[in-house]
């Protein structure tokens, strides 16, 4: 009977020192809560911001679903759910690029800006996946290409066309754009660090053996939820100013 119960038990045990399992679990709940928050807030600001907040909610919702699977995958196999991780990113990171476009639309941002950022983010992630999962021996090469695409995104939003549009828009849009730029420069830099910490023979153990997945999970929570909250704040503040 006991064996039978064990075999039908659907919930895997999580050890007290399993930080990866723990952060997958908390990450999943945080993404779900953030999604509910963004979706339910939809009527609290001006109509023109709705798509932006919808996208914020979609980003955390897609992540919540992937965290659900990653949590399970980790609990069952005790190995990195690299595949789910990158499927999550390849859906959510381009949406974050769309977010830049949406808030800059007031200053006349063109679709080409969005396409460019999306294209760069896809290059960044596909090459990252090749280095992390397929061509492990050439992790440096793929990491390098990925890093170049990352810097091209950073350049575009900090100094390129996107920056000019943000300056032209001014006010709350410029403020929000600046904060989002910091997210990309500092918050997104967490990932290449995780990549290096997870590549054998590189910086394994730089964080006292803290697993790559913990680094990615913390990065995701900061970037996806934080990013969404910046856009939420912009919508609320800009709407109240418009009313006044
Ligand atoms: C919500 C998920 C986000 C914001 C994920 C962002 C991921 C990156 C910025 C990943 C970047 C990488 C490099 C710059 C080089 C090494 C390979 C990657 C894919 C980890």
């Amino acid at each position: 009977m006991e064996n039978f119960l064990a075999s039908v038990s659907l919930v895997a045990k999580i050890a007290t020192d399993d930080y990866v399992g723990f952060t997958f679990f908390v990450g999943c709940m945080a993404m779900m809560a953030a999604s509910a928050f963004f979706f339910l807030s939809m009527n609290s600001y001006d109509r023109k911001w709705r798509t932006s907040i919808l996208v914020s909610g979609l980003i955390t919702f897609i992540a919540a679903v992937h965290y659900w699977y990653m949590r399970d995958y980790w609990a069952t196999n005790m190995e990195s759910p690299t595949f789910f991780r990158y499927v999550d990113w390849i859906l959510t990171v381009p949406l974050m690029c769309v977010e830049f476009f949406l808030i800059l639309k007031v200053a006349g941002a063109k679709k080409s800006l969005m396409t460019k950022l999306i294209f760069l983010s896809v290059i960044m992630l596909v090459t990252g996946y090749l280095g992390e999962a397929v061509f492990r021996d050439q992790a440096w090469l793929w990491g390098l290409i990925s890093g170049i695409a990352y810097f091209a995104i950073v350049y575009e939003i900090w100094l390129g066309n996107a920056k000019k549009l943000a300056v032209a828009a001014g006010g709350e849009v410029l403020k929000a754009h600046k904060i989002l730029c910091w997210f990309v420069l500092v918050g997104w830099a967490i990932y290449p660090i995780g990549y290096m910490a997870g590549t054998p023979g590189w910086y394994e153990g730089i964080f006292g053996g803290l697993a790559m997945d913990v680094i990615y999970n913390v990065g995701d929570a900061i970037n996806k939820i934080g990013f969404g909250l910046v856009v939420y704040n912009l919508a609320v503040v800009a709407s109240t100013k418009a009313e006044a």
Side-chain angles (χ1 to χ4, degrees), residues 38 49-60 92-105 109 113-114 117-118 157 173 176-177 180 188 223-232 234:
F38 292 131
W49 298 108
R50 278 197 199 157
T51 318
S52 303
I53 311 292
L54 178 65
V55 172
S56 292
L58 287 176
I59 290 169
T60 51
T92 52
V93 177
L95 282 175
M96 296 171 98
C97 297
V98 171
E99 205 77 291
F100 272 100
F101 166 73
L102 287 174
I103 70 165
L104 295 174
K105 235 168 66 176
L113 171 72
M114 182 175 84
L117 290 176
I118 291 177
I157 56 172
V173 170
H177 178 83
L180 294 184
W188 288 22
N223 288 302
K224 294 187 165 64
I225 301 173
F227 209 88
L229 285 173
V230 173
V231 179
Y232 170 80
L234 168 64

mmCIF file of all heavy atoms in Angstrom, residues 38 49-60 92-105 109 113-114 117-118 157 173 176-177 180 188 223-232 234:
data_model
loop_
_atom_site.group_PDB
_atom_site.id
_atom_site.type_symbol
_atom_site.label_atom_id
_atom_site.label_comp_id
_atom_site.label_asym_id
_atom_site.label_seq_id
_atom_site.Cartn_x
_atom_site.Cartn_y
_atom_site.Cartn_z
ATOM 1 N N PHE A 38 -1.652 42.737 -13.507
ATOM 2 C CA PHE A 38 -1.652 43.525 -14.753
ATOM 3 C C PHE A 38 -2.993 43.417 -15.489
ATOM 4 O O PHE A 38 -3.555 44.420 -15.929
ATOM 5 C CB PHE A 38 -0.505 43.089 -15.675
ATOM 6 C CG PHE A 38 0.867 43.442 -15.145
ATOM 7 C CD1 PHE A 38 1.883 42.503 -15.097
ATOM 8 C CD2 PHE A 38 1.135 44.729 -14.683
ATOM 9 C CE1 PHE A 38 3.150 42.836 -14.605
ATOM 10 C CE2 PHE A 38 2.391 45.068 -14.192
ATOM 11 C CZ PHE A 38 3.402 44.117 -14.154
ATOM 12 N N TRP A 49 -3.026 53.151 -23.169
ATOM 13 C CA TRP A 49 -1.977 52.349 -22.512
ATOM 14 C C TRP A 49 -2.350 50.877 -22.403
ATOM 15 O O TRP A 49 -1.571 50.061 -21.939
ATOM 16 C CB TRP A 49 -1.689 52.903 -21.110
ATOM 17 C CG TRP A 49 -1.175 54.294 -21.152
ATOM 18 C CD1 TRP A 49 -1.851 55.428 -20.784
ATOM 19 C CD2 TRP A 49 0.106 54.725 -21.624
ATOM 20 N NE1 TRP A 49 -1.073 56.544 -20.997
ATOM 21 C CE2 TRP A 49 0.143 56.133 -21.509
ATOM 22 C CE3 TRP A 49 1.229 54.062 -22.130
ATOM 23 C CZ2 TRP A 49 1.250 56.885 -21.877
ATOM 24 C CZ3 TRP A 49 2.329 54.815 -22.495
ATOM 25 C CH2 TRP A 49 2.332 56.210 -22.366
ATOM 26 N N ARG A 50 -3.573 50.545 -22.810
ATOM 27 C CA ARG A 50 -4.038 49.179 -22.551
ATOM 28 C C ARG A 50 -3.189 48.105 -23.193
ATOM 29 O O ARG A 50 -2.890 47.086 -22.567
ATOM 30 C CB ARG A 50 -5.483 49.017 -23.017
ATOM 31 C CG ARG A 50 -6.388 49.553 -21.966
ATOM 32 C CD ARG A 50 -7.789 49.100 -22.108
ATOM 33 N NE ARG A 50 -8.591 50.040 -21.338
ATOM 34 C CZ ARG A 50 -9.856 50.269 -21.536
ATOM 35 N NH1 ARG A 50 -10.496 49.615 -22.481
ATOM 36 N NH2 ARG A 50 -10.494 51.119 -20.794
ATOM 37 N N THR A 51 -2.783 48.340 -24.438
ATOM 38 C CA THR A 51 -1.984 47.310 -25.116
ATOM 39 C C THR A 51 -0.666 47.101 -24.374
ATOM 40 O O THR A 51 -0.196 45.977 -24.226
ATOM 41 C CB THR A 51 -1.700 47.713 -26.581
ATOM 42 O OG1 THR A 51 -2.887 48.270 -27.113
ATOM 43 C CG2 THR A 51 -1.276 46.529 -27.403
ATOM 44 N N SER A 52 -0.073 48.205 -23.896
ATOM 45 C CA SER A 52 1.193 48.090 -23.182
ATOM 46 C C SER A 52 1.055 47.204 -21.946
ATOM 47 O O SER A 52 1.895 46.336 -21.691
ATOM 48 C CB SER A 52 1.698 49.461 -22.738
ATOM 49 O OG SER A 52 1.820 50.315 -23.846
ATOM 50 N N ILE A 53 -0.023 47.445 -21.178
ATOM 51 C CA ILE A 53 -0.185 46.654 -19.948
ATOM 52 C C ILE A 53 -0.602 45.227 -20.302
ATOM 53 O O ILE A 53 -0.219 44.266 -19.619
ATOM 54 C CB ILE A 53 -1.225 47.287 -18.990
ATOM 55 C CG1 ILE A 53 -0.940 48.763 -18.806
ATOM 56 C CG2 ILE A 53 -1.228 46.554 -17.648
ATOM 57 C CD1 ILE A 53 0.319 49.098 -18.074
ATOM 58 N N LEU A 54 -1.361 45.081 -21.363
ATOM 59 C CA LEU A 54 -1.717 43.733 -21.816
ATOM 60 C C LEU A 54 -0.432 42.945 -22.101
ATOM 61 O O LEU A 54 -0.286 41.796 -21.686
ATOM 62 C CB LEU A 54 -2.588 43.818 -23.070
ATOM 63 C CG LEU A 54 -2.995 42.477 -23.680
ATOM 64 C CD1 LEU A 54 -3.899 41.706 -22.726
ATOM 65 C CD2 LEU A 54 -3.691 42.665 -25.021
ATOM 66 N N VAL A 55 0.510 43.603 -22.769
ATOM 67 C CA VAL A 55 1.776 42.937 -23.090
ATOM 68 C C VAL A 55 2.559 42.623 -21.804
ATOM 69 O O VAL A 55 3.126 41.537 -21.658
ATOM 70 C CB VAL A 55 2.611 43.783 -24.084
ATOM 71 C CG1 VAL A 55 3.999 43.203 -24.272
ATOM 72 C CG2 VAL A 55 1.897 43.862 -25.432
ATOM 73 N N SER A 56 2.555 43.559 -20.838
ATOM 74 C CA SER A 56 3.203 43.280 -19.546
ATOM 75 C C SER A 56 2.626 42.013 -18.928
ATOM 76 O O SER A 56 3.362 41.157 -18.421
ATOM 77 C CB SER A 56 2.967 44.424 -18.546
ATOM 78 O OG SER A 56 3.639 45.582 -18.953
ATOM 79 N N GLY A 57 1.288 41.914 -18.965
ATOM 80 C CA GLY A 57 0.619 40.740 -18.395
ATOM 81 C C GLY A 57 0.920 39.474 -19.173
ATOM 82 O O GLY A 57 1.104 38.404 -18.584
ATOM 83 N N LEU A 58 1.007 39.589 -20.492
ATOM 84 C CA LEU A 58 1.312 38.401 -21.305
ATOM 85 C C LEU A 58 2.717 37.884 -21.000
ATOM 86 O O LEU A 58 2.938 36.674 -20.928
ATOM 87 C CB LEU A 58 1.190 38.725 -22.793
ATOM 88 C CG LEU A 58 -0.226 38.894 -23.335
ATOM 89 C CD1 LEU A 58 -0.189 39.302 -24.808
ATOM 90 C CD2 LEU A 58 -1.013 37.593 -23.172
ATOM 91 N N ILE A 59 3.643 38.824 -20.804
ATOM 92 C CA ILE A 59 5.025 38.425 -20.508
ATOM 93 C C ILE A 59 5.064 37.593 -19.217
ATOM 94 O O ILE A 59 5.621 36.500 -19.187
ATOM 95 C CB ILE A 59 5.938 39.667 -20.378
ATOM 96 C CG1 ILE A 59 6.117 40.328 -21.757
ATOM 97 C CG2 ILE A 59 7.285 39.303 -19.776
ATOM 98 C CD1 ILE A 59 6.767 41.704 -21.732
ATOM 99 N N THR A 60 4.429 38.108 -18.158
ATOM 100 C CA THR A 60 4.482 37.356 -16.894
ATOM 101 C C THR A 60 3.619 36.099 -16.961
ATOM 102 O O THR A 60 3.940 35.091 -16.342
ATOM 103 C CB THR A 60 4.050 38.233 -15.693
ATOM 104 O OG1 THR A 60 2.791 38.853 -15.987
ATOM 105 C CG2 THR A 60 5.074 39.316 -15.397
ATOM 106 N N THR A 92 9.037 35.693 -24.570
ATOM 107 C CA THR A 92 8.874 36.878 -23.717
ATOM 108 C C THR A 92 9.834 38.019 -24.045
ATOM 109 O O THR A 92 9.450 39.184 -23.945
ATOM 110 C CB THR A 92 9.024 36.513 -22.225
ATOM 111 O OG1 THR A 92 10.252 35.800 -22.032
ATOM 112 C CG2 THR A 92 7.872 35.662 -21.752
ATOM 113 N N VAL A 93 11.070 37.710 -24.432
ATOM 114 C CA VAL A 93 12.027 38.791 -24.699
ATOM 115 C C VAL A 93 11.598 39.634 -25.919
ATOM 116 O O VAL A 93 11.609 40.865 -25.845
ATOM 117 C CB VAL A 93 13.475 38.268 -24.795
ATOM 118 C CG1 VAL A 93 14.441 39.392 -25.135
ATOM 119 C CG2 VAL A 93 13.886 37.610 -23.479
ATOM 120 N N PRO A 94 11.190 39.016 -27.027
ATOM 121 C CA PRO A 94 10.659 39.849 -28.121
ATOM 122 C C PRO A 94 9.463 40.704 -27.668
ATOM 123 O O PRO A 94 9.310 41.840 -28.122
ATOM 124 C CB PRO A 94 10.243 38.826 -29.184
ATOM 125 C CG PRO A 94 11.155 37.675 -28.947
ATOM 126 C CD PRO A 94 11.330 37.612 -27.459
ATOM 127 N N LEU A 95 8.652 40.185 -26.747
ATOM 128 C CA LEU A 95 7.530 40.994 -26.253
ATOM 129 C C LEU A 95 8.033 42.208 -25.460
ATOM 130 O O LEU A 95 7.403 43.264 -25.455
ATOM 131 C CB LEU A 95 6.583 40.150 -25.386
ATOM 132 C CG LEU A 95 5.614 39.239 -26.147
ATOM 133 C CD1 LEU A 95 4.828 38.361 -25.168
ATOM 134 C CD2 LEU A 95 4.648 40.051 -27.000
ATOM 135 N N MET A 96 9.172 42.046 -24.798
ATOM 136 C CA MET A 96 9.746 43.182 -24.088
ATOM 137 C C MET A 96 10.228 44.228 -25.108
ATOM 138 O O MET A 96 10.153 45.433 -24.861
ATOM 139 C CB MET A 96 10.880 42.726 -23.168
ATOM 140 C CG MET A 96 10.377 41.799 -22.063
ATOM 141 S SD MET A 96 11.694 41.026 -21.108
ATOM 142 C CE MET A 96 11.760 42.100 -19.703
ATOM 143 N N CYS A 97 10.706 43.754 -26.249
ATOM 144 C CA CYS A 97 11.089 44.678 -27.328
ATOM 145 C C CYS A 97 9.857 45.409 -27.852
ATOM 146 O O CYS A 97 9.906 46.615 -28.133
ATOM 147 C CB CYS A 97 11.771 43.919 -28.468
ATOM 148 S SG CYS A 97 13.322 43.143 -27.974
ATOM 149 N N VAL A 98 8.742 44.693 -27.967
ATOM 150 C CA VAL A 98 7.487 45.315 -28.397
ATOM 151 C C VAL A 98 7.098 46.424 -27.417
ATOM 152 O O VAL A 98 6.613 47.484 -27.810
ATOM 153 C CB VAL A 98 6.357 44.254 -28.487
ATOM 154 C CG1 VAL A 98 5.004 44.912 -28.724
ATOM 155 C CG2 VAL A 98 6.662 43.247 -29.587
ATOM 156 N N GLU A 99 7.342 46.170 -26.149
ATOM 157 C CA GLU A 99 7.029 47.140 -25.097
ATOM 158 C C GLU A 99 7.742 48.483 -25.336
ATOM 159 O O GLU A 99 7.138 49.552 -25.197
ATOM 160 C CB GLU A 99 7.454 46.530 -23.764
ATOM 161 C CG GLU A 99 6.744 47.041 -22.556
ATOM 162 C CD GLU A 99 5.341 46.478 -22.374
ATOM 163 O OE1 GLU A 99 4.460 46.815 -23.190
ATOM 164 O OE2 GLU A 99 5.106 45.724 -21.415
ATOM 165 N N PHE A 100 9.013 48.417 -25.724
ATOM 166 C CA PHE A 100 9.746 49.644 -26.053
ATOM 167 C C PHE A 100 9.041 50.390 -27.189
ATOM 168 O O PHE A 100 8.839 51.603 -27.135
ATOM 169 C CB PHE A 100 11.187 49.327 -26.483
ATOM 170 C CG PHE A 100 12.155 49.256 -25.339
ATOM 171 C CD1 PHE A 100 12.546 48.033 -24.818
ATOM 172 C CD2 PHE A 100 12.662 50.419 -24.774
ATOM 173 C CE1 PHE A 100 13.438 47.967 -23.756
ATOM 174 C CE2 PHE A 100 13.556 50.363 -23.715
ATOM 175 C CZ PHE A 100 13.940 49.131 -23.203
ATOM 176 N N PHE A 101 8.686 49.640 -28.210
ATOM 177 C CA PHE A 101 8.002 50.235 -29.357
ATOM 178 C C PHE A 101 6.679 50.877 -28.932
ATOM 179 O O PHE A 101 6.386 52.023 -29.300
ATOM 180 C CB PHE A 101 7.769 49.162 -30.429
ATOM 181 C CG PHE A 101 6.790 49.561 -31.489
ATOM 182 C CD1 PHE A 101 7.133 50.500 -32.455
ATOM 183 C CD2 PHE A 101 5.510 49.008 -31.528
ATOM 184 C CE1 PHE A 101 6.220 50.876 -33.433
ATOM 185 C CE2 PHE A 101 4.602 49.379 -32.498
ATOM 186 C CZ PHE A 101 4.954 50.317 -33.454
ATOM 187 N N LEU A 102 5.913 50.168 -28.126
ATOM 188 C CA LEU A 102 4.588 50.675 -27.742
ATOM 189 C C LEU A 102 4.671 51.987 -26.978
ATOM 190 O O LEU A 102 3.872 52.898 -27.218
ATOM 191 C CB LEU A 102 3.839 49.626 -26.909
ATOM 192 C CG LEU A 102 3.306 48.413 -27.681
ATOM 193 C CD1 LEU A 102 2.722 47.392 -26.713
ATOM 194 C CD2 LEU A 102 2.272 48.830 -28.720
ATOM 195 N N ILE A 103 5.638 52.086 -26.040
ATOM 196 C CA ILE A 103 5.663 53.343 -25.282
ATOM 197 C C ILE A 103 6.237 54.493 -26.118
ATOM 198 O O ILE A 103 5.966 55.643 -25.851
ATOM 199 C CB ILE A 103 6.368 53.231 -23.903
ATOM 200 C CG1 ILE A 103 7.866 53.045 -24.046
ATOM 201 C CG2 ILE A 103 5.782 52.134 -23.044
ATOM 202 C CD1 ILE A 103 8.590 53.308 -22.726
ATOM 203 N N LEU A 104 7.034 54.149 -27.157
ATOM 204 C CA LEU A 104 7.612 55.208 -27.998
ATOM 205 C C LEU A 104 6.719 55.573 -29.179
ATOM 206 O O LEU A 104 7.034 56.478 -29.951
ATOM 207 C CB LEU A 104 8.997 54.778 -28.498
ATOM 208 C CG LEU A 104 10.055 54.616 -27.399
ATOM 209 C CD1 LEU A 104 11.333 54.048 -27.964
ATOM 210 C CD2 LEU A 104 10.310 55.957 -26.704
ATOM 211 N N LYS A 105 5.605 54.878 -29.292
ATOM 212 C CA LYS A 105 4.699 55.148 -30.406
ATOM 213 C C LYS A 105 4.187 56.586 -30.368
ATOM 214 O O LYS A 105 4.002 57.212 -31.410
ATOM 215 C CB LYS A 105 3.515 54.171 -30.383
ATOM 216 C CG LYS A 105 3.387 53.438 -31.709
ATOM 217 C CD LYS A 105 2.445 52.277 -31.681
ATOM 218 C CE LYS A 105 1.006 52.655 -31.451
ATOM 219 N NZ LYS A 105 0.133 51.462 -31.526
ATOM 220 N N ALA A 109 7.349 56.289 -33.164
ATOM 221 C CA ALA A 109 8.205 55.126 -33.444
ATOM 222 C C ALA A 109 7.635 54.309 -34.594
ATOM 223 O O ALA A 109 6.422 54.123 -34.690
ATOM 224 C CB ALA A 109 8.320 54.248 -32.201
ATOM 225 N N LEU A 113 11.630 49.875 -35.979
ATOM 226 C CA LEU A 113 12.344 49.845 -34.702
ATOM 227 C C LEU A 113 12.027 48.543 -33.965
ATOM 228 O O LEU A 113 12.910 47.858 -33.446
ATOM 229 C CB LEU A 113 11.932 51.045 -33.831
ATOM 230 C CG LEU A 113 12.438 50.998 -32.387
ATOM 231 C CD1 LEU A 113 13.931 51.264 -32.318
ATOM 232 C CD2 LEU A 113 11.683 51.974 -31.500
ATOM 233 N N MET A 114 10.739 48.213 -33.961
ATOM 234 C CA MET A 114 10.294 46.991 -33.287
ATOM 235 C C MET A 114 10.919 45.765 -33.946
ATOM 236 O O MET A 114 11.457 44.892 -33.263
ATOM 237 C CB MET A 114 8.766 46.927 -33.353
ATOM 238 C CG MET A 114 8.170 45.748 -32.650
ATOM 239 S SD MET A 114 6.376 45.846 -32.656
ATOM 240 C CE MET A 114 5.982 45.155 -34.235
ATOM 241 N N LEU A 117 14.651 45.398 -33.067
ATOM 242 C CA LEU A 117 14.893 44.911 -31.708
ATOM 243 C C LEU A 117 14.508 43.435 -31.576
ATOM 244 O O LEU A 117 15.218 42.651 -30.944
ATOM 245 C CB LEU A 117 14.111 45.757 -30.694
ATOM 246 C CG LEU A 117 14.594 47.202 -30.489
ATOM 247 C CD1 LEU A 117 13.667 47.943 -29.537
ATOM 248 C CD2 LEU A 117 16.028 47.236 -29.966
ATOM 249 N N ILE A 118 13.386 43.053 -32.190
ATOM 250 C CA ILE A 118 12.959 41.659 -32.114
ATOM 251 C C ILE A 118 13.992 40.759 -32.792
ATOM 252 O O ILE A 118 14.402 39.727 -32.256
ATOM 253 C CB ILE A 118 11.569 41.463 -32.756
ATOM 254 C CG1 ILE A 118 10.507 42.151 -31.901
ATOM 255 C CG2 ILE A 118 11.249 39.974 -32.920
ATOM 256 C CD1 ILE A 118 9.107 42.083 -32.470
ATOM 257 N N ILE A 157 18.784 51.198 -27.752
ATOM 258 C CA ILE A 157 17.880 51.867 -26.812
ATOM 259 C C ILE A 157 18.560 52.985 -26.013
ATOM 260 O O ILE A 157 17.933 53.961 -25.658
ATOM 261 C CB ILE A 157 17.206 50.858 -25.845
ATOM 262 C CG1 ILE A 157 18.248 50.050 -25.099
ATOM 263 C CG2 ILE A 157 16.242 49.946 -26.605
ATOM 264 C CD1 ILE A 157 17.649 49.183 -24.008
ATOM 265 N N VAL A 173 7.216 59.526 -20.554
ATOM 266 C CA VAL A 173 7.695 58.487 -21.470
ATOM 267 C C VAL A 173 9.217 58.402 -21.411
ATOM 268 O O VAL A 173 9.803 57.320 -21.305
ATOM 269 C CB VAL A 173 7.220 58.756 -22.919
ATOM 270 C CG1 VAL A 173 7.915 57.821 -23.899
ATOM 271 C CG2 VAL A 173 5.709 58.598 -23.017
ATOM 272 N N ALA A 176 10.265 56.742 -18.142
ATOM 273 C CA ALA A 176 10.054 55.292 -18.164
ATOM 274 C C ALA A 176 11.078 54.622 -19.076
ATOM 275 O O ALA A 176 11.641 53.575 -18.742
ATOM 276 C CB ALA A 176 8.637 54.966 -18.634
ATOM 277 N N HIS A 177 11.336 55.246 -20.237
ATOM 278 C CA HIS A 177 12.303 54.682 -21.175
ATOM 279 C C HIS A 177 13.663 54.528 -20.508
ATOM 280 O O HIS A 177 14.323 53.501 -20.636
ATOM 281 C CB HIS A 177 12.409 55.572 -22.419
ATOM 282 C CG HIS A 177 13.430 55.094 -23.417
ATOM 283 N ND1 HIS A 177 13.150 54.113 -24.349
ATOM 284 C CD2 HIS A 177 14.728 55.419 -23.597
ATOM 285 C CE1 HIS A 177 14.245 53.885 -25.073
ATOM 286 N NE2 HIS A 177 15.213 54.662 -24.637
ATOM 287 N N LEU A 180 13.681 51.578 -18.168
ATOM 288 C CA LEU A 180 13.712 50.321 -18.928
ATOM 289 C C LEU A 180 15.110 50.079 -19.505
ATOM 290 O O LEU A 180 15.580 48.946 -19.562
ATOM 291 C CB LEU A 180 12.669 50.334 -20.043
ATOM 292 C CG LEU A 180 11.198 50.353 -19.586
ATOM 293 C CD1 LEU A 180 10.278 50.267 -20.797
ATOM 294 C CD2 LEU A 180 10.892 49.225 -18.613
ATOM 295 N N TRP A 188 19.458 42.615 -17.473
ATOM 296 C CA TRP A 188 19.696 41.569 -18.477
ATOM 297 C C TRP A 188 21.119 41.038 -18.405
ATOM 298 O O TRP A 188 21.400 39.932 -18.860
ATOM 299 C CB TRP A 188 19.406 42.086 -19.902
ATOM 300 C CG TRP A 188 17.956 42.278 -20.202
ATOM 301 C CD1 TRP A 188 16.946 42.464 -19.301
ATOM 302 C CD2 TRP A 188 17.338 42.329 -21.504
ATOM 303 N NE1 TRP A 188 15.742 42.635 -19.955
ATOM 304 C CE2 TRP A 188 15.961 42.555 -21.309
ATOM 305 C CE3 TRP A 188 17.826 42.224 -22.807
ATOM 306 C CZ2 TRP A 188 15.052 42.662 -22.367
ATOM 307 C CZ3 TRP A 188 16.925 42.329 -23.869
ATOM 308 C CH2 TRP A 188 15.556 42.543 -23.639
ATOM 309 N N ASN A 223 13.401 41.172 -13.979
ATOM 310 C CA ASN A 223 13.203 41.755 -15.299
ATOM 311 C C ASN A 223 11.768 41.713 -15.784
ATOM 312 O O ASN A 223 11.262 42.694 -16.308
ATOM 313 C CB ASN A 223 14.119 41.070 -16.309
ATOM 314 C CG ASN A 223 15.563 41.476 -16.106
ATOM 315 O OD1 ASN A 223 15.893 42.652 -16.153
ATOM 316 N ND2 ASN A 223 16.417 40.519 -15.837
ATOM 317 N N LYS A 224 11.102 40.596 -15.621
ATOM 318 C CA LYS A 224 9.754 40.521 -16.183
ATOM 319 C C LYS A 224 8.752 41.297 -15.347
ATOM 320 O O LYS A 224 7.945 42.054 -15.872
ATOM 321 C CB LYS A 224 9.324 39.064 -16.329
ATOM 322 C CG LYS A 224 10.169 38.342 -17.355
ATOM 323 C CD LYS A 224 9.663 36.957 -17.632
ATOM 324 C CE LYS A 224 10.265 36.403 -18.888
ATOM 325 N NZ LYS A 224 11.744 36.236 -18.790
ATOM 326 N N ILE A 225 8.810 41.126 -14.029
ATOM 327 C CA ILE A 225 7.834 41.807 -13.176
ATOM 328 C C ILE A 225 8.203 43.290 -13.048
ATOM 329 O O ILE A 225 7.349 44.170 -13.200
ATOM 330 C CB ILE A 225 7.723 41.122 -11.794
ATOM 331 C CG1 ILE A 225 7.298 39.660 -11.991
ATOM 332 C CG2 ILE A 225 6.741 41.862 -10.892
ATOM 333 C CD1 ILE A 225 7.313 38.817 -10.746
ATOM 334 N N GLY A 226 9.494 43.557 -12.835
ATOM 335 C CA GLY A 226 9.947 44.943 -12.702
ATOM 336 C C GLY A 226 9.663 45.770 -13.945
ATOM 337 O O GLY A 226 9.137 46.880 -13.879
ATOM 338 N N PHE A 227 10.011 45.203 -15.083
ATOM 339 C CA PHE A 227 9.770 45.835 -16.377
ATOM 340 C C PHE A 227 8.284 46.185 -16.529
ATOM 341 O O PHE A 227 7.918 47.314 -16.882
ATOM 342 C CB PHE A 227 10.162 44.814 -17.449
ATOM 343 C CG PHE A 227 10.640 45.361 -18.762
ATOM 344 C CD1 PHE A 227 11.968 45.668 -18.961
ATOM 345 C CD2 PHE A 227 9.759 45.501 -19.829
ATOM 346 C CE1 PHE A 227 12.425 46.123 -20.187
ATOM 347 C CE2 PHE A 227 10.206 45.958 -21.057
ATOM 348 C CZ PHE A 227 11.544 46.273 -21.240
ATOM 349 N N GLY A 228 7.426 45.217 -16.226
ATOM 350 C CA GLY A 228 5.982 45.426 -16.333
ATOM 351 C C GLY A 228 5.504 46.536 -15.412
ATOM 352 O O GLY A 228 4.645 47.342 -15.783
ATOM 353 N N LEU A 229 6.082 46.583 -14.203
ATOM 354 C CA LEU A 229 5.659 47.600 -13.239
ATOM 355 C C LEU A 229 6.058 49.005 -13.689
ATOM 356 O O LEU A 229 5.336 49.970 -13.427
ATOM 357 C CB LEU A 229 6.240 47.300 -11.847
ATOM 358 C CG LEU A 229 5.574 46.151 -11.090
ATOM 359 C CD1 LEU A 229 6.336 45.833 -9.805
ATOM 360 C CD2 LEU A 229 4.106 46.467 -10.774
ATOM 361 N N VAL A 230 7.191 49.125 -14.371
ATOM 362 C CA VAL A 230 7.603 50.431 -14.888
ATOM 363 C C VAL A 230 6.565 50.923 -15.901
ATOM 364 O O VAL A 230 6.142 52.084 -15.876
ATOM 365 C CB VAL A 230 9.008 50.353 -15.545
ATOM 366 C CG1 VAL A 230 9.355 51.678 -16.223
ATOM 367 C CG2 VAL A 230 10.059 49.999 -14.511
ATOM 368 N N VAL A 231 6.146 50.008 -16.776
ATOM 369 C CA VAL A 231 5.158 50.382 -17.791
ATOM 370 C C VAL A 231 3.808 50.703 -17.121
ATOM 371 O O VAL A 231 3.122 51.665 -17.487
ATOM 372 C CB VAL A 231 5.000 49.254 -18.830
ATOM 373 C CG1 VAL A 231 3.960 49.631 -19.869
ATOM 374 C CG2 VAL A 231 6.340 48.971 -19.507
ATOM 375 N N TYR A 232 3.469 49.930 -16.099
ATOM 376 C CA TYR A 232 2.232 50.174 -15.343
ATOM 377 C C TYR A 232 2.256 51.571 -14.726
ATOM 378 O O TYR A 232 1.308 52.344 -14.829
ATOM 379 C CB TYR A 232 2.080 49.100 -14.254
ATOM 380 C CG TYR A 232 0.985 49.398 -13.269
ATOM 381 C CD1 TYR A 232 -0.352 49.127 -13.576
ATOM 382 C CD2 TYR A 232 1.270 49.961 -12.025
ATOM 383 C CE1 TYR A 232 -1.360 49.416 -12.676
ATOM 384 C CE2 TYR A 232 0.269 50.257 -11.126
ATOM 385 C CZ TYR A 232 -1.040 49.983 -11.453
ATOM 386 O OH TYR A 232 -2.034 50.272 -10.563
ATOM 387 N N LEU A 234 4.011 54.118 -15.644
ATOM 388 C CA LEU A 234 3.904 55.115 -16.716
ATOM 389 C C LEU A 234 2.439 55.337 -17.086
ATOM 390 O O LEU A 234 1.969 56.479 -17.188
ATOM 391 C CB LEU A 234 4.696 54.653 -17.947
ATOM 392 C CG LEU A 234 4.451 55.428 -19.243
ATOM 393 C CD1 LEU A 234 4.890 56.882 -19.110
ATOM 394 C CD2 LEU A 234 5.185 54.769 -20.414
#
